[in-house]
Amino acid sequence: MAEFDLIERYFTFEYDFSDDSKDTSANSPSAKSSKKPRVVKGIGDDCAIFEIPNKYQLVISTDTLVDGVHFFSNLQPELIAHKALAANVSDLAAMGARPLAFTLSISLPDVSMEWLQGFSAGIKSASEAFKIPLVGGDTTQGPLNINITAYGTVKKDRLLERNKAQFGDDIWVTGNLGEAAAALDLHQKTLVNKEALSASEQALWDALTKPEPPLKFARKLTKFSSCGLDISDGLAADLGHILKKSRCGATLNVESLPVSDALETVAGTEQARQYALNGGDDYQLCFTAPQSNRDKINKLAARQGVKISRIGSITDNGLKVLLHGKPFKSERRSWQHFNNDN
Amino acid sequence: MAEFDLIERYFTFEYDFSDDSKDTSANSPSAKSSKKPRVVKGIGDDCAIFEIPNKYQLVISTDTLVDGVHFFSNLQPELIAHKALAANVSDLAAMGARPLAFTLSISLPDVSMEWLQGFSAGIKSASEAFKIPLVGGDTTQGPLNINITAYGTVKKDRLLERNKAQFGDDIWVTGNLGEAAAALDLHQKTLVNKEALSASEQALWDALTKPEPPLKFARKLTKFSSCGLDISDGLAADLGHILKKSRCGATLNVESLPVSDALETVAGTEQARQYALNGGDDYQLCFTAPQSNRDKINKLAARQGVKISRIGSITDNGLKVLLHGKPFKSERRSWQHFNNDN
């Protein structure tokens, strides 16, 4: 099958984002308004085309998922597709951006129609869930490799950055942490033992394979915070990026980390805390904000139905990890893409 | 080495595009003007950020190069880097767009410092040659896979599209055709025989490994043409895209195809024509324009120092390939990414 046929058959979607028209006019390739960012042209020419009115900025994020590194190739293609798009949409959430569109470049070792159908269905349902249309890309033959570039928009200077933390800020996170990392370890165990999953284990598995970045909350949050990122490498490591870029320190209170009942059931209290602190793949938000915004932030989260936890505060220097006020030994296992340090 | 160190060491460049300030203000991440498209933020946060003033549109193109499919892994990494960027910049030329920035996602099987240094040098020199800064990306571990997404800008509706050919239009191409495809065949021969390259063979090899898309010519051309694309799959196949999208036909005059002396010397007249008609990887421009614009187009090309050839005309239906007015048997060998048609 030629590349063009493949794109036409599996990657050309009709979208219907009409259930929330106020929020999605910017996303529809057919939107007529020139006041909102819009996709002028999608799949079919040499390039996709966007218009970004003056009061907006376009933000761009790109992520690659490689077979055996970021997912297991025996995972259902629907889940691989969801995860690939969620990881990129999470970077948009990390900036407080509204999704505009994405491009998909995929290398495939061979063409299994069944796999492609599943992957295509997963891309379509995830793009509908995140309200972000596919507008172009590239298919090539080669070892399985999935690259997504996601485009979003922010109103000028209404965004979350890494270098904006201030002394005294609260540190917050959304959702629960550590579930995905625990599921990964679990997967290796269950692969060996071939046991069925318990309800708690299934919950962890869902967190790993179906992450839901808090997009809308992040966008509204830019009213009360200008510093944040998404947790993909583990809370401690990712918070480290904020501290480095903002040239400050932090105190983390481990007892305040959001740990789900499922994680505590499967891993026990002590190990659950390590997962929450150092596990990766959470795709939740970590952000900082002045103490004076606490009430507004709590109200926003309640309105959006998003769980948030206040887990520490920004200090002038160094990262202190405390459990009930006493030093906590963190077992860092953060993801490093290249470990052969030569 | 951690991903962050790798990006810092090999993919963080200081650019100096100052030799042509009129043309490059749009490209510099530090440009202060808000009247031109600009990169507000490059490498270092979750996303890159662009501003695209109202009278402009952003065009986006993405292409993946896979080891063994699009290049030979034993090729010098400088040349692989140049080719990867050139292929994407060529898609910007195909739209008549001005380069703004690009992102690079690379999967590497292991970290050879020597290879990375060469690849990094190649990316830097190509990005300087095309005046397009690297603003972000992703490095992962996996089989060698290079994905580039290139961003360019056009003034609203001043661009080359595939669906704009009109009955009676002239068909034009830039540069010489067929050299890259001939070099590919030659490479396979010389690999076996280990012979040194003649001057003509070297010229073909350079066309394959160091393509130079006619970016500036394409941008100026949008005054006189609104239909074009780049020749990457072979002239006949790519012209086919124009004919399909514009719902028209064409007559091609094979004797008018631009064939270099080098190609004729290496391949002979008959085979050179086949290469010009059906070879891929040319990264030249094919465009159509009203006959009334012939003089203006010839003058523009002369001013820009770009070779152009008028090779046929748009008809109402079907593609006729003629040599001195008589049917010419075209041996199509156009690139198909997936041939197992199941």
Side-chain angles (χ1 to χ4, degrees), chain A residues 270-290:
Chain A
E270 163 64 20
Q271 195 55 39
R273 286 171 172 154
Q274 294 292 352
Y275 277 127
L277 196 57
N278 294 305
D281 269 4
D282 293 306
Y283 300 113
Q284 295 293 341
L285 210 62
C286 173
F287 61 97
T288 81

Side-chain angles (χ1 to χ4, degrees), chain A residues 116-306:
Chain A
L116 264 170
Q117 266 159 15
F119 187 82
S120 164
I123 286 289
K124 182 163 196 286
S125 80
S127 67
E128 283 170 345
F130 302 132
K131 292 180 179 158
I132 185 167
L134 176 63
V135 295
D138 188 30
T139 61
T140 47
Q141 197 155 22
L144 187 54
N145 185 297
I146 301 162
N147 173 266
I148 286 180
T149 304
Y151 308 94
T153 56
V154 295
K155 286 186 184 163
K156 256 176 205 177
D157 300 321
R158 266 282 298 280
L159 74 167
L160 304 175
E161 296 175 277
R162 297 180 176 199
N163 61 347
K164 293 288 197 293
Q166 299 282 343
F167 181 83
D169 274 3
D170 291 327
I171 302 172
W172 303 79
V173 292
T174 60
N176 290 312
L177 300 182
E179 293 182 299
L184 208 58
D185 286 349
L186 193 67
H187 175 79
Q188 276 148 10
K189 195 188 84 181
T190 53
L191 266 189
V192 175
N193 301 337
K194 304 212 181 272
E195 291 164 5
L197 294 181
S198 70
S200 293
E201 290 171 336
Q202 184 64 48
L204 304 190
W205 183 247
D206 289 346
L208 175 66
T209 56
K210 298 272 284 179
E212 302 279 351
L215 267 172
K216 197 170 175 182
F217 171 78
R219 206 158 70 230
K220 306 265 182 195
L221 179 66
T222 58
K223 282 182 207 172
F224 312 122
S225 165
S226 54
C227 181
L229 45 52
D230 66 323
I231 306 172
S232 56
D233 294 344
L235 171 64
D238 285 315
L239 179 61
H241 299 316
I242 288 183
L243 303 187
K244 189 179 171 194
K245 292 275 176 183
S246 298
R247 299 179 184 201
C248 59
T251 299
L252 277 190
N253 304 312
V254 172
E255 69 278 12
S256 304
L257 297 184
V259 170
S260 69
D261 291 345
L263 178 56
E264 197 141 356
T265 302
V266 171
T269 303
E270 163 64 20
Q271 195 55 39
R273 286 171 172 154
Q274 294 292 352
Y275 277 127
L277 196 57
N278 294 305
D281 269 4
D282 293 306
Y283 300 113
Q284 295 293 341
L285 210 62
C286 173
F287 61 97
T288 81
Q291 295 178 23
S292 56
N293 286 348
R294 267 182 209 173
D295 281 357
K296 291 172 189 161
I297 289 170
N298 277 320
K299 279 180 192 160
L300 171 65
R303 263 202 315 277
Q304 299 283 331
V306 169

